[in-house]
Amino acid sequence: MKTNDLIFQTVTKTAVFIIIIYSLHLFFSGHYTPGGGFIGGLMTASAIVLLLLAFDIKTVVNSLNIDYIKMTATGLLIALLTGVGSFFFDVPFLTHTFSYVDLPVLGKTSLATAVLFDLGVYLVVIGVTMTIIQTIGETE
Amino acid sequence: MIQGILICSLIFLSFAIFATIYRLVKGPTAPDRVQALDALGINLISGVAIFSVLLRSTGFFEVILLIGILSFIGTIAFARYIERGVVIERNHSD
């Protein structure tokens, strides 16, 4: 049966970018306002789920071309390495630090190493969610 | 004054939510229930907005956009399931 998804696919093409930008905003604003790696990862995963709903699973897997299990492993490795990095400065495991840096456009910005740990959480959440959904979607 | 108006509109919103819950419980077919859930999500968005004005806090603004996106995706997933019998298609041709 030939179905016509023109309106839904056009809406999806514009809405996915808005959802991904919103998830990045949630990810980067997690230190001072509500948000963080967990909810940001879930919103990115929901953007990919919207793509999966609008198009078929084969198209999305071929065009994104991401191995979500390797993504989960990379996230876990990043979270572990931020903890290991504290050993080089003779401080306890998982000690985080921050400093104020003058960036060219943003001005005086506080860069914290906690955002690297959060990046690991973000990748793990996307990887686990998409692994679950794609595995269930592909089974007969 | 403003607080009275806000509480009054919250009461009206809860009436609207009870009406959609009535349709959710009573609705004879599945599309009625899905549409009631969608309307319930929109009513919840306005409820959260009025609460954040009432509490003088900007901490709930993320929740508003979040409920909007999740309600959109959930409604679409239900609609696809009702129309095609499958949520995520394996291949467009078959």
Side-chain angles (χ1 to χ4, degrees), chain A residues 21-112:
Chain A
I21 289 169
Y22 177 56
S23 76
L24 288 178
H25 165 75
L26 278 176
F27 172 67
F28 283 113
S29 70
H31 204 72
Y32 295 109
T33 56
F38 185 77
I39 188 72
L42 276 182
M43 286 318 286
T44 309
S46 69
I48 304 173
V49 167
L50 188 59
L51 277 179
L52 280 176
L53 288 173
F55 304 95
D56 53 328
I57 197 164
K58 204 175 155 193
T59 313
V60 177
V61 169
N62 284 338
S63 56
L64 281 181
N65 205 4
I66 303 170
D67 190 350
Y68 292 108
I69 295 176
K70 279 179 187 160
M71 197 175 186
T72 311
T74 313
L76 281 173
L77 197 67
I78 289 172
L80 182 70
L81 286 179
T82 56
V84 170
S86 61
F87 287 146
F88 295 109
F89 299 97
D90 211 16
V91 285
F93 185 59
L94 280 175
T95 303
H96 287 285
T97 183
F98 67 97
S99 69
Y100 290 98
V101 182
D102 274 322
L103 291 179
V105 181
L106 298 170
K108 188 182 173 194
T109 315
S110 74
L111 294 178

Side-chain angles (χ1 to χ4, degrees), chain B residues 16-17 34-35 44 46 55-56 68:
Chain B
I17 288 176
V34 173
Q35 214 162 20
L44 271 181
S46 40
L55 297 174
R56 295 176 190 281

Side-chain angles (χ1 to χ4, degrees), chain A residues 3 5 8-9 11 19 22 25-26 34 39 43 46 50 52-58 133 137-140, chain B residues 58-66 69-70 72-73 76-77 80 83-84 87-94:
Chain A
T3 51
D5 282 343
F8 179 34
Q9 287 180 353
V11 168
I19 297 174
Y22 177 56
H25 165 75
L26 278 176
I39 188 72
M43 286 318 286
S46 69
L50 188 59
L52 280 176
L53 288 173
F55 304 95
D56 53 328
I57 197 164
K58 204 175 155 193
I133 289 172
E138 277 171 350
T139 49
E140 289 289 333
Chain B
T58 57
F60 300 114
F61 287 174
E62 274 89 357
V63 179
I64 293 172
L65 204 48
L66 210 68
I69 293 168
L70 289 183
F72 175 64
I73 293 174
I76 280 170
R80 276 192 91 88
E83 196 185 317
R84 312 255 173 94
V87 178
I88 298 174
E89 285 179 330
R90 225 161 283 113
N91 210 334
H92 250 312
S93 55
D94 54 53

